Amino acid sequence: ASQILEHGGILLMYDTEKWGDFGDEEKMKDHLKQAELDLELIEREEPVDFSDDPDGRMFTLAFKKTGASQRKSLQWLIQKADDFKQAGNSYYSNLAKCRDAREQGLHSSPRVASLWKAVACYVQGLDCLSLARSLGDHERLNHISSRLYSNLAAAYMELAETAGTYEHANRVIDLALVCDPDWDRAKERKEKIQAMIRGQGRRDDEDFPGT
């Protein structure tokens, strides 16, 4: 993200102390310095008190770009988007076993953590493609975007049981089909997501006490 921010640009994150230490202010400052990211941590807030949550405390972090960035070429942005896609696929394919989050009273597990990392990669890849659209080659950008949106939908589908991301999955698979209306795999994924949403609606009705 630092590479595509303009000077003075703002990067917002919502993250935890538990997975990767992104919510730990001192460790984050050390990381920014060591990685020479030209980012300054300007604000760190805890909007909700999760101090008693076994998943760990959650923080919003705001960073400001302090150095100048060169304007990126179309090819650079496409390559960066593909790099994010491959990284996301690697996280998505991580076979870490997922504990039963409901029984444990947790929203996190090694598998869930990997899925959220995949989501972050896919979103950053899409950000790169969004910047690239002012440079042309929309047919190619639509093709790559459709794949990223579809992969993002798949991650949201798996996260839905613990994070309630059913509608997120539905929205992004629609965007995949906007980019590539004839792609059969996206159509199949859309049908699966709609079936999940219908099933969730039935479960909600069953859980609602009668009056």
Side-chain angles (χ1 to χ4, degrees):
S2 173
Q3 292 178 302
I4 61 176
L5 276 178
E6 298 289 342
H7 177 72
I10 300 296
L11 170 66
L12 295 176
M13 292 178 60
Y14 183 57
D15 219 319
T16 176
E17 288 179 316
K18 185 173 181 179
W19 304 111
D21 296 323
F22 290 111
D24 187 304
E25 185 171 2
E26 294 306 316
K27 290 183 179 180
M28 178 57 74
K29 286 181 177 179
D30 287 342
H31 173 68
L32 295 177
K33 183 177 180 180
Q34 293 173 11
E36 299 180 346
L37 293 179
D38 291 331
L39 290 173
E40 176 188 1
L41 179 60
I42 58 175
E43 188 172 332
R44 175 178 176 270
E45 298 288 343
E46 188 174 14
V48 180
D49 184 2
F50 286 118
S51 56
D52 296 328
D53 194 318
D55 284 347
R57 298 167 66 193
M58 298 292 295
F59 296 91
T60 55
L61 302 101
F63 303 88
K64 184 176 181 179
K65 178 76 172 184
T66 57
S69 297
Q70 292 183 342
R71 184 175 176 83
K72 306 303 183 184
S73 68
L74 175 65
Q75 186 55 44
W76 187 95
L77 290 166
I78 289 176
Q79 181 59 56
K80 183 59 66 173
D82 187 66
D83 290 345
F84 280 125
K85 177 174 175 284
Q86 297 306 322
N89 290 350
S90 179
Y91 284 124
Y92 184 83
S93 300
N94 188 330
L95 298 179
K97 291 184 179 179
C98 183
R99 296 169 295 178
D100 189 330
R102 288 185 171 178
E103 288 186 7
Q104 296 288 337
L106 303 174
H107 294 291
S108 297
S109 71
R111 175 59 179 165
V112 171
S114 291
L115 288 169
W116 281 117
K117 289 177 181 178
V119 167
C121 289
Y122 296 144
V123 169
Q124 288 181 84
L126 289 162
D127 285 343
C128 290
L129 298 179
S130 179
L131 291 172
R133 289 194 176 275
S134 64
L135 304 175
D137 203 352
H138 292 288
E139 183 175 350
R140 185 181 180 191
L141 293 174
N142 280 342
H143 176 82
I144 303 170
S145 295
S146 67
R147 274 57 187 172
L148 276 164
Y149 279 127
S150 181
N151 290 0
L152 180 58
Y156 279 144
M157 282 174 67
E158 190 169 341
L159 286 165
E161 186 173 354
T162 54
T165 49
Y166 299 98
E167 290 300 333
H168 293 74
N170 197 42
R171 284 196 295 269
V172 294
I173 200 61
D174 283 343
L175 292 171
L177 287 166
V178 168
C179 293
D180 190 349
D182 298 322
W183 188 24
D184 289 339
R185 187 171 183 181
K187 293 178 182 178
E188 292 170 2
R189 187 157 283 163
K190 171 71 175 178
E191 291 176 0
K192 290 179 180 179
I193 292 169
Q194 289 181 324
M196 286 177 63
I197 292 173
R198 289 194 296 270
Q200 175 64 20
R202 285 194 294 270
R203 285 194 294 273
D204 289 344
D205 290 342
E206 292 169 358
D207 291 340
F208 191 83
T211 55

